[in-house]
Amino acid sequence: MALVSEFLGQLTLNFGGESEPKFPTVVAAGDFDPAKDAARIETAVKTKGVDELTIIDILTRRSYSQRREIAFEYEKRSKKDMITALKGALSGSLEAVILGLMKSTAQYDASEIKGSIKGLGTDEETLIEMVCSRSADELVEIKRVYKELFKKDLEKDVAGDTSGDFRSPLLALVQAKRDEPSNIVDYEKIDQDARALYEAGVKRKGTDVATWITIMSERSVPHLQKVFDRYKSYSPYDMQESIRKEVKGDLEKSFLTLVECFENKQQYFANRLSEAMKGKSAKEKVVTRIVVSRCEVDLMKIRTEFKKLNQKSLYQTIAEHTKGDYQKVLLSLCGGDD
């Protein structure tokens, strides 16, 4: 029954309110037989040396709700939990990807945020990416799931783990107070906000960070895109240049991530992937996180942006910077070459 209610919950999520259009590389399989998939995975796990290819082939070509059905059938068959079995059979980066796929997008995001603030020291880079790149609707769902998984309040955890000016934008975003996009363009408000951003930053000595936070965490994305455009008529610098001049450190990174995502979210992720695969070997945590969290959301569009930026496809870049089963699982999630 839990699976049914979870599935119904997802349905209402998709149809409630204006959700962003999706451009996934991983979609539901057409001729889907969960019992057959479960049997194949059970054999793959039990095989001497583990048949990783079968596990990759099945789980990267099914949607999240289909993977849940396979797990349900697996438990019926073997009287064992499939996630526990996969944990025992796999290791390293491949294990991280496959276990990530067994979570819903919101569960995965919530776990990544938890991981970034757990233990000694905060992984600010991950925290900024996760909070500043997610829409208000996504953050509402992440907060709900975070509470469900960890019996803790996301806002309290973020507040307890960050400090100073850096804490303020993150908390404002987690509160998810962003306006819904409107069909009516309010030119007066666009002008007011553009001027307020200018007067709170470039025009004065020091920065009125609170004004920037209010505008960037509460206005709708289409409105902000027009605000940043209008901003150029007041300021000699565009919004990103202004941020670089006005603030530093994690606060600068937070504002830049926000503005980059307002302007073109998929380009932001394409940039992150490029940076993570600049050296000889990939920054696997970053690559895993983006590919797993976006493969059922907008990875197809991220691929397009990546090719534009690098004159080389994401598929080829992953192939050059990774190896073994980790490479195979990523390439399969990537969903093809461009």
Side-chain angles (χ1 to χ4, degrees), residues 36-62:
K36 188 177 160 194
D37 284 348
R40 285 181 66 204
I41 287 176
E42 190 183 17
T43 307
V45 166
K46 284 180 174 170
T47 302
K48 195 170 193 274
V50 185
D51 174 6
E52 288 95 348
L53 286 183
T54 296
I55 296 169
I56 292 168
D57 187 54
I58 295 170
L59 296 178
T60 58
R61 289 162 202 236
R62 308 288 183 268

Side-chain angles (χ1 to χ4, degrees), residues 97-115:
V97 175
I98 295 293
L99 295 183
L101 292 174
M102 294 309 299
K103 296 179 171 119
S104 71
T105 301
Q107 284 168 351
Y108 184 76
D109 287 358
S111 305
E112 286 294 299
I113 292 174
K114 181 70 176 166

Side-chain angles (χ1 to χ4, degrees), residues 77-306:
R77 275 183 70 82
S78 68
K79 308 287 177 278
K80 287 184 185 135
D81 175 59
M82 186 169 103
I83 294 170
T84 309
L86 289 167
K87 257 186 198 161
L90 307 171
S91 63
S93 304
L94 175 64
E95 180 190 359
V97 175
I98 295 293
L99 295 183
L101 292 174
M102 294 309 299
K103 296 179 171 119
S104 71
T105 301
Q107 284 168 351
Y108 184 76
D109 287 358
S111 305
E112 286 294 299
I113 292 174
K114 181 70 176 166
S116 75
I117 55 181
K118 200 170 70 181
L120 285 169
T122 309
D123 173 1
E124 288 88 357
E125 196 183 321
T126 302
L127 188 57
I128 290 168
E129 180 197 305
M130 300 308 292
V131 175
C132 296
S133 71
R134 298 317 191 243
S135 70
D137 287 349
E138 285 170 330
L139 284 165
V140 168
E141 180 61 4
I142 289 166
K143 279 201 291 189
R144 186 188 69 74
V145 169
Y146 191 94
K147 186 113 188 167
E148 213 172 72
L149 289 176
F150 308 114
K151 310 289 177 269
K152 283 187 170 173
D153 193 56
L154 178 59
E155 278 173 61
K156 281 187 188 152
D157 275 6
V158 169
D161 222 79
T162 53
S163 59
D165 277 345
F166 173 48
R167 175 194 288 164
S168 309
L170 295 182
L171 285 182
L173 290 165
V174 169
Q175 283 162 10
K177 287 186 192 161
R178 194 174 300 289
D179 297 337
E180 287 290 323
S182 162
N183 294 327
I184 299 150
V185 179
D186 187 339
Y187 291 102
E188 200 177 325
K189 195 175 180 187
I190 289 166
D191 189 63
Q192 280 169 2
D193 284 348
R195 188 184 299 158
L197 287 172
Y198 172 60
E199 288 176 351
V202 173
K203 194 182 174 188
R204 53 174 281 171
K205 200 172 172 8
T207 314
D208 170 8
V209 172
T211 297
W212 277 17
I213 291 170
T214 302
I215 293 171
M216 289 197 215
S217 66
E218 294 182 13
R219 306 296 189 260
S220 77
V221 175
H223 174 84
L224 283 167
Q225 289 166 341
K226 294 182 182 71
V227 168
F228 298 149
D229 213 35
R230 181 74 183 135
Y231 179 84
K232 291 178 214 158
S233 66
Y234 287 106
S235 169
Y237 317 106
D238 69 20
M239 199 63 226
Q240 289 194 37
E241 288 167 326
S242 301
I243 290 165
R244 288 189 185 97
K245 285 183 181 304
E246 289 293 314
V247 289
K248 291 286 170 269
D250 292 327
L251 187 61
E252 177 191 5
K253 284 182 200 147
S254 305
F255 279 131
L256 282 175
T257 301
L258 275 174
V259 173
E260 283 171 40
C261 289
F262 295 147
E263 290 176 347
N264 184 337
K265 189 182 285 193
Q266 288 76 30
Q267 190 182 70
Y268 162 76
F269 284 120
N271 263 318
R272 294 275 295 146
L273 285 167
S274 296
E275 288 298 316
M277 293 187 278
K278 272 246 161 76
K280 204 166 158 49
S281 57
K283 287 183 182 167
E284 292 185 356
K285 267 184 77 171
V286 179
V287 177
T288 296
R289 184 170 63 245
I290 295 173
V291 172
V292 172
S293 68
R294 307 312 288 183
C295 65
E296 292 190 56
V297 182
D298 56 3
L299 190 57
M300 192 61 89
K301 228 176 165 180
I302 293 169
R303 260 171 50 179
T304 308
E305 291 294 341
F306 190 94

